Amino acid sequence: MEKLKIAGGYPLKGTVRVSGAKNSAVALIPATILADSPVTIEGLPDISDVEILKGLLEEIGGQVKLSDNEMTVNPSGMISMPLPNGKVKKLRASYYLMGAMLGRFKKAVIGLPGGCHLGPRPIDQHIKGFEALGASVTNEQGAIYLRAEELKGARIYLDVVSVGATINIMLAAVRAKGRTVIENAAKEPEIIDVATLLTNMGARIKGAGTDVIRIDGVDSLHGCRHTIIPDRIEAGTYIILGAAMGDGVLVDNVIPQHLESLIAKLSEMGVYVEAGDDQIFVRSSPRLKAVDIKTLVYPGFPTDLQQPFTSLLTRAEGSSMVTDTIYGARFKHIDELRRMNANIKVEGRSAIVSGPIQLQGAKVKASDLRAGAALVIAGLMAEGITEVTGLEHIDRGYSNLVEKLNGLGATVWREAMTEEEVEQLKNT
Ligand code: EPU
């Protein structure tokens, strides 16, 4: 087991290139199951979720090649192998295997997904969609059993705007008979990316990126080549870091329109942010103003940037309120930030950050992916050395983190943990 060590407190400068979007990758890879011939996805991030999904496709008989961030999947030999346990439990997005396998084989057995613990994360809207398409869905001993004689298009209104349910229903519906209409659909860029891949595979989808998506089912889908969109959350993480410590940080390979809510908040704080075609330049300011943020579905402020943004707010003058309307319990990073001298109170779904505070290096633990990002940013802002454990969470979503940070002039390195430290970590 390793920990990340950060020598913080130094300004950062230079260019960082953003990788392909994790939350697209974890849907695009299962989507390849729906084709009858090889699909190639370019620009995948180097993250453990991609490796795990590769292993899952191989378990069901897929032939998968992954090199230089490009994956080619030959799905022709795949079978509807039950996956009740094992790798499926390691990531939340394994739920996309349900929609994709149901769409292709009309049956699937998938263990209930794992992933970050952000409070309750039900999948009732996914199930509502599969049932509307004609599948029977049962939960037996922690695995979801799905079966349909045939899938028939339906009109599905989502009671909760859900990224996962929107994508999963699209996956199940593209090979169903007739028309499916998803109402109150999520509008995140990752949904458009998945719809683009499916369309290039021969699917007929209209309205992805709006709140009504219409899908006309087709009998079969074919292979194609697809380039993934850049990761707006990884980009946002480096932009926030640049806002905290940047003496001129250029974040390259971005779609600035995906980050408008973040850019607006940073400008309100007094950070210099300039968006180009596919780059964003950011420079910190000696005085930052406190701001309130409320996470919302896209295009609102993303919940996935709430935790990293909280670290930045410790430097702002005054009191900032951070409210998470998507995951009311996404505050596990707060206790760790307090260890680093932050002055933050949690009240219900909100955290109140009082600043400015000079963070101090400490030993902290990442409890989930974006908490990890928040702690890395805090470590780079802090005086002295910070040690971050729980790297398995960070490795799920941040491609080549150490190299990218050191490329900006940071001093960050991974170090093996001693047996005693591993034992201590188990007991916390
Ligand atoms: N929800 C339900 N029922 C459902 C589905 C969702 O009540 O059937 C609720 C959730 O509990 C949550 C809200 O609806 O309160 C939104 O959940 P959504 O389904 O949109 O989230 P998700 O698809 O499970 C994806 C990302 C998350 C990101 C959320 C919100 C992936 C693999 N994950 O999750 O990303 O926070 O959308 O934007 O795409 C991350 O990257 O760190 C991460 C957690």
Side-chain angles (χ1 to χ4, degrees):
M1 247 183 176
E2 288 181 324
K3 60 187 171 185
L4 191 69
K5 289 184 89 169
I6 302 169
Y10 301 103
L12 303 175
K13 198 178 176 129
T15 301
V16 59
R17 190 173 163 81
V18 172
S19 299
K22 162 189 166 280
N23 288 345
S24 269
V26 296
L28 296 172
I29 297 170
T32 63
I33 295 173
L34 287 157
D36 296 330
S37 50
V39 179
T40 298
I41 305 169
E42 285 173 17
L44 288 168
D46 283 321
I47 54 172
S48 59
D49 275 10
V50 166
E51 289 292 339
I52 295 168
L53 282 166
K54 172 177 183 278
L56 282 162
L57 294 191
E58 285 167 344
E59 267 182 51
I60 63 169
Q63 284 178 333
V64 190
K65 270 193 285 187
L66 176 63
S67 71
D68 293 332
N69 306 101
E70 182 170 303
M71 182 184 279
T72 299
V73 181
N74 183 348
S76 53
M78 286 181 179
I79 51 163
S80 185
M81 173 99 111
L83 297 167
N85 287 306
K87 292 194 183 78
V88 284
K89 302 273 183 191
K90 291 199 171 160
L91 78 162
R92 170 113 184 125
S94 50
Y95 54 39
Y96 291 133
L97 295 169
M98 295 180 195
M101 287 172 78
L102 183 65
R104 170 149 174 212
F105 304 111
K106 312 290 174 270
K107 61 177 184 178
V109 177
I110 309 292
L112 273 169
C116 290
H117 297 289
L118 311 175
R121 297 179 77 183
I123 56 164
D124 55 301
Q125 298 303 307
H126 305 229
I127 292 171
K128 173 180 164 175
F130 298 146
E131 286 178 340
L133 295 172
S136 82
V137 185
T138 53
N139 178 350
E140 291 167 36
Q141 293 167 340
I144 301 288
Y145 286 67
L146 306 116
R147 179 175 284 278
E149 286 300 316
E150 76 170 353
L151 293 171
K152 275 199 192 143
R155 182 172 281 269
I156 300 156
Y157 179 88
L158 296 181
D159 302 317
V160 182
V161 180
S162 159
V163 176
T166 303
I167 293 179
N168 232 343
I169 296 168
M170 274 195 326
L171 294 173
V174 282
R175 288 180 63 165
K177 290 223 157 26
R179 173 171 281 199
T180 298
V181 180
I182 310 174
E183 292 174 323
N184 202 25
K187 296 184 281 205
E188 270 67 2
E190 293 74 21
I191 292 163
I192 304 178
D193 202 21
V194 177
T196 306
L197 170 71
L198 292 169
T199 304
N200 290 339
M201 283 161 61
R204 294 173 60 200
I205 305 173
K206 283 196 187 127
T210 76
D211 52 13
V212 181
I213 302 179
R214 290 185 177 78
I215 301 155
D216 287 307
V218 294
D219 290 337
S220 63
L221 294 173
H222 50 75
C224 67
R225 176 174 274 275
H226 178 79
T227 305
I228 194 170
I229 56 168
D231 194 315
R232 65 194 166 98
I233 305 300
E234 189 200 13
T237 303
Y238 287 107
I239 292 168
I240 292 169
L241 177 60
M245 297 304 287
D247 181 20
V249 168
L250 186 67
V251 183
D252 183 32
N253 190 34
V254 211
I255 299 177
Q257 289 79 357
H258 291 172
L259 287 154
E260 276 172 359
S261 56
L262 173 67
I263 295 171
K265 279 292 158 190
L266 292 174
S267 305
E268 216 177 302
M269 290 180 77
V271 175
Y272 179 79
V273 197
E274 195 187 318
D277 288 342
D278 61 352
Q279 295 181 322
I280 293 178
F281 179 81
V282 56
R283 188 170 41 234
S284 189
S285 152
R287 298 186 70 178
L288 297 176
K289 279 190 239 122
V291 292
D292 295 340
I293 60 160
K294 191 184 258 188
T295 68
L296 293 168
V297 294
Y298 187 81
F301 194 95
T303 171
D304 296 337
L305 290 177
Q306 176 264 105
Q307 292 157 299
F309 202 82
T310 306
S311 299
L312 168 67
L313 289 176
T314 62
R315 264 207 55 202
E317 288 177 22
S319 184
S320 306
M321 169 125 71
V322 175
T323 306
D324 201 315
T325 71
I326 311 288
Y327 297 113
R330 201 171 197 179
F331 287 126
K332 291 206 184 113
H333 57 305
I334 302 287
D335 278 345
E336 304 304 297
L337 288 176
R338 282 202 198 108
R339 279 180 213 280
M340 299 178 72
N341 202 33
N343 183 354
I344 311 179
K345 270 193 309 209
V346 176
E347 285 176 10
R349 283 181 164 249
S350 299
I352 295 134
V353 188
S354 302
I357 288 283
Q358 172 59 58
L359 295 174
Q360 301 296 330
K363 293 186 180 182
V364 289
K365 183 179 165 188
S367 53
D368 58 78
L369 171 59
R370 309 300 172 190
L375 297 175
V376 171
I377 292 174
L380 290 160
M381 292 167 70
E383 276 177 350
I385 303 283
T386 294
E387 289 189 18
V388 185
T389 53
L391 297 193
E392 66 283 6
H393 297 292
I394 301 178
D395 292 340
R396 285 193 36 232
Y398 287 91
S399 198
N400 304 313
L401 179 74
V402 170
E403 293 77 358
K404 289 187 185 186
L405 292 174
N406 289 341
L408 292 174
T411 307
V412 176
W413 68 102
R414 293 174 81 113
E415 214 172 271
M417 290 170 72
T418 63
E419 277 176 31
E420 205 184 329
E421 283 174 329
V422 173
E423 210 43 49
Q424 266 173 9
L425 189 67
K426 279 189 199 149
N427 298 327
T428 55

